[in-house]
Amino acid sequence: MSEEPLLLFPNVHKVMRADRICKALGIATRVIPVPEEVSSECGMCLVVADSNLNACREALSKENITFELHKRGKQ
Amino acid sequence: MPQFTNTYFDNASTGWPKPPEVAGALSDFIRNTAGTYGRAAYPRVYKTSSMIEECRDELAKVMGVGEAGNIAFTQNATHGINTVLFGLDLHDCEVLISPLEHNAVMRPLERLKETCNVHWKVIPAEEDGTIIPEQIPGIISDRTRLVIVNHESNVNGVIQPIEKIREYIGNIPFLVDTTQSLGSVSFEGDRWDVDFIAFTGHKGLLGPTGTGGFYVRYPELLSPLILGGTGSRSESVEMPLFAPDKFEAGTHNAVGIAGLLAALKNRPKPEWDSYDINALVQGVQQISGVRVLTAEHSVNRGNVFSLVHENLTPSTIANRLYERFEIEIRSGLHCAPMAHRFLDTFPKGSARFAPSFYHTKGDLQNLGEALKIILNDRNYV
């Protein structure tokens, strides 16, 4: 089964900011509930296509937004 | 008989009218959006979370701060001020305050005096309450841990020289209460090196009541006032250490924030400016028996002013204005007994006037005319 990158942020503020930055650059994102195996957060995280991960990482780094990178099975 | 487009002159209590888009946003949120902040990932929650973050970003622009994530929503500015005062470790310390502070500051300080041996000193000021920054170093001691300044007085509208005050307090943490000023007076939190900014959403920003909060430059140095669920770090029974979550326990006033965002995005273009306020103040100053409480110099005069009369009490003036012209103003102490003591208008207080950006120039001129009529009418009962 192929996997896709899952980006976990410390809080909703950062999720929303990251989502806005990615979308402004044309990087497609999906917001999903945080999977239990990743964290016990009850909030949201971002999923991006593997091919967009580097662009995403670069864009967020420029804005000093850090995240934990996880992988999830494509659904 | 003066004709008004709007007789509400109590905008220092709460701003009205609001931009029409505010009511639309409130209604739309209740009818269609709902959703909590960040507690799930379905579209309704996403939309609400995104809206709240957009509001945070807009507030950061108004406050002149770069880090919107350090702005926390609370129920009002008082709640924000309490968070700062009780969230810092001020045991056995000294706090410097302006002479025009509101009870939102004074009552928490009084409690801290009783419980934590916190003492406060009033910064030297001119007769109108304008701080004299050059005299601040003379009252700083090795126990001084915080400086608190009300940016614009809710009694006489004096606007304090924040940038200059920072110059003279050195590195002492600085809390500025922008309750009365934000939205009508420009603010540059980062450039002026302000550590804490308390704000309300319902006055100059023209949002709904129940919105407000504070900005904190170093969230790690401040403890939260209210503890509870945040939707983050839910595995722990301790509060998250990062802002804004650390200060936002419990469900947000999302409907109120939706209204505040609509207000921020639809600011009215005022028909009048400081010239018109100055003309109004100068006209009222000419009325016999009247003392106007306002900044001595027009450069630091806000849109709020008060008056006292040698024979008429503030409540009599308020009542006459309403009965004769349906003009709505607030009389009394305005929750600022300390300011009134300083201005020598305690305990009766003053009659206060605060126009809206929706008033016309004619409304301001007519307010002056109405005051002349009711204050000069010796036969009015």
Side-chain angles (χ1 to χ4, degrees):
Chain A
M1 188 176 75
S2 63
E3 291 185 316
E4 56 189 354
L6 181 152
L7 283 55
L8 183 68
F9 298 88
N11 59 11
V12 179
H13 173 72
K14 293 284 194 288
V15 175
M16 290 294 144
R17 190 186 276 187
D19 190 48
R20 217 165 39 241
I21 291 165
C22 289
K23 287 198 166 108
L25 294 172
I27 301 169
T29 59
R30 273 186 299 132
V31 178
I32 65 161
V34 179
E36 294 79 4
E37 65 272 21
V38 168
S39 164
S40 58
E41 299 289 337
C42 48
M44 49 178 74
C45 58
L46 294 185
V47 172
V48 298
D50 206 24
S51 56
N52 282 333
L53 180 59
N54 284 341
C56 183
R57 207 194 295 261
E58 195 179 327
L60 298 183
S61 168
K62 272 186 197 162
E63 299 289 334
N64 292 320
I65 296 178
T66 56
F67 58 87
E68 282 179 27
L69 181 62
H70 296 265
K71 295 279 184 181
R72 81 191 278 264
K74 234 176 199 172
Q75 293 173 1
Chain B
M1 179 98 165
Q3 296 296 311
F4 293 89
T5 62
N6 166 10
T7 52
Y8 181 78
F9 284 93
D10 196 16
N11 287 274
S13 289
T14 193
W16 188 84
K18 313 291 188 190
E21 292 83 357
V22 173
L26 296 173
S27 170
D28 182 60
F29 188 87
I30 292 290
R31 287 173 188 276
N32 303 314
T33 309
T36 56
Y37 172 77
R39 303 306 201 253
Y42 52 85
R44 199 181 293 279
V45 167
Y46 177 84
K47 191 175 173 186
T48 296
S49 305
S50 178
M51 175 275 291
I52 289 177
E53 292 308 332
E54 188 181 357
C55 190
R56 234 187 279 275
D57 290 343
E58 291 297 318
L59 285 167
K61 290 180 202 165
V62 179
M63 289 188 223
V65 297
E67 184 46 73
N70 287 356
I71 296 171
F73 288 106
T74 58
Q75 56 180 293
N76 47 42
T78 299
H79 187 167
I81 290 166
N82 272 260
T83 305
V84 175
L85 294 182
F86 288 98
L88 291 169
D89 182 4
L90 295 174
H91 276 82
D92 302 320
C93 292
E94 191 173 79
V95 176
L96 304 185
I97 58 174
S98 86
L100 302 178
E101 293 306 312
H102 188 276
N103 268 349
V105 165
M106 297 314 299
R107 286 180 171 173
L109 280 184
E110 194 61 20
R111 174 61 60 86
L112 286 168
K113 183 179 172 184
E114 292 165 10
T115 58
C116 301
N117 194 33
V118 172
H119 291 268
W120 46 267
K121 278 200 293 206
V122 179
I123 302 170
E126 308 283 0
E127 275 186 20
D128 63 1
T130 304
I131 285 173
I132 307 168
E134 295 80 2
Q135 293 188 16
I136 296 175
I139 63 164
I140 291 175
S141 76
D142 55 4
R143 289 175 59 204
T144 308
R145 290 286 180 278
L146 182 67
V147 175
I148 307 173
V149 172
N150 187 0
H151 187 209
E152 179 180 358
S153 165
N154 68 314
V155 173
N156 69 356
V158 158
I159 297 167
Q160 300 288 2
I162 302 300
E163 186 176 17
K164 197 82 177 164
I165 292 168
R166 166 52 89 189
E167 196 182 313
Y168 284 89
I169 64 174
N171 294 324
I172 300 170
F174 192 12
L175 162 61
V176 179
D177 176 3
T178 66
T179 301
Q180 208 59 63
S181 63
L182 206 64
S184 56
V185 182
S186 66
F187 200 86
E188 299 186 57
D190 281 347
R191 199 168 73 77
W192 297 343
D193 217 9
V194 179
D195 298 285
F196 309 99
I197 305 168
F199 72 95
T200 189
H202 72 101
K203 295 189 181 184
L205 295 179
L206 298 177
T209 50
T211 57
F214 68 99
Y215 162 83
V216 49
R217 182 154 55 157
Y218 302 114
E220 62 276 16
L221 301 181
L222 193 65
S223 299
L225 183 68
I226 305 289
L227 295 84
T230 60
S232 51
R233 295 285 156 89
S234 297
E235 75 284 1
S236 173
V237 292
E238 294 183 358
M239 287 296 284
L241 297 175
F242 42 79
D245 306 39
K246 183 177 180 179
F247 308 109
E248 293 186 343
T251 301
H252 292 69
N253 175 12
V255 62
I257 295 170
L260 176 57
L261 177 59
L264 289 164
K265 290 164 85 171
N266 295 282
R267 301 283 304 157
K269 195 171 181 298
E271 284 194 25
W272 50 270
D273 56 24
S274 56
Y275 175 85
D276 301 289
I277 284 285
N278 290 335
L280 172 60
V281 166
Q282 284 159 14
V284 178
Q285 282 170 328
Q286 302 306 313
I287 301 172
S288 174
V290 166
R291 176 186 162 208
V292 178
L293 310 180
T294 184
E296 189 179 335
H297 304 291
S298 58
V299 68
N300 64 330
R301 180 175 291 158
N303 299 334
V304 180
F305 68 94
S306 284
L307 67 83
V308 289
H309 188 271
E310 61 183 2
N311 297 321
L312 302 172
T313 63
S315 61
T316 303
I317 295 168
N319 193 45
R320 282 188 180 189
L321 283 170
Y322 186 75
E323 288 193 341
R324 188 88 173 253
F325 301 107
E326 295 186 355
I327 289 173
E328 297 161 298
I329 63 155
R330 181 175 171 185
S331 60
L333 291 173
H334 315 102
C335 297
M338 185 181 167
H340 281 287
R341 284 182 194 278
F342 182 83
L343 298 168
D344 201 20
T345 47
F346 185 88
K348 287 183 178 170
S350 60
R352 184 181 68 184
F353 303 84
S356 150
F357 285 139
Y358 287 102
H359 278 119
T360 63
K361 280 174 186 273
D363 288 331
L364 267 58
Q365 291 162 359
N366 286 338
L367 175 61
E369 291 305 310
L371 280 167
K372 277 181 201 162
I373 292 169
I374 65 117
L375 296 174
N376 287 328
D377 186 351
R378 304 287 174 194
N379 299 317
Y380 189 86
V381 180

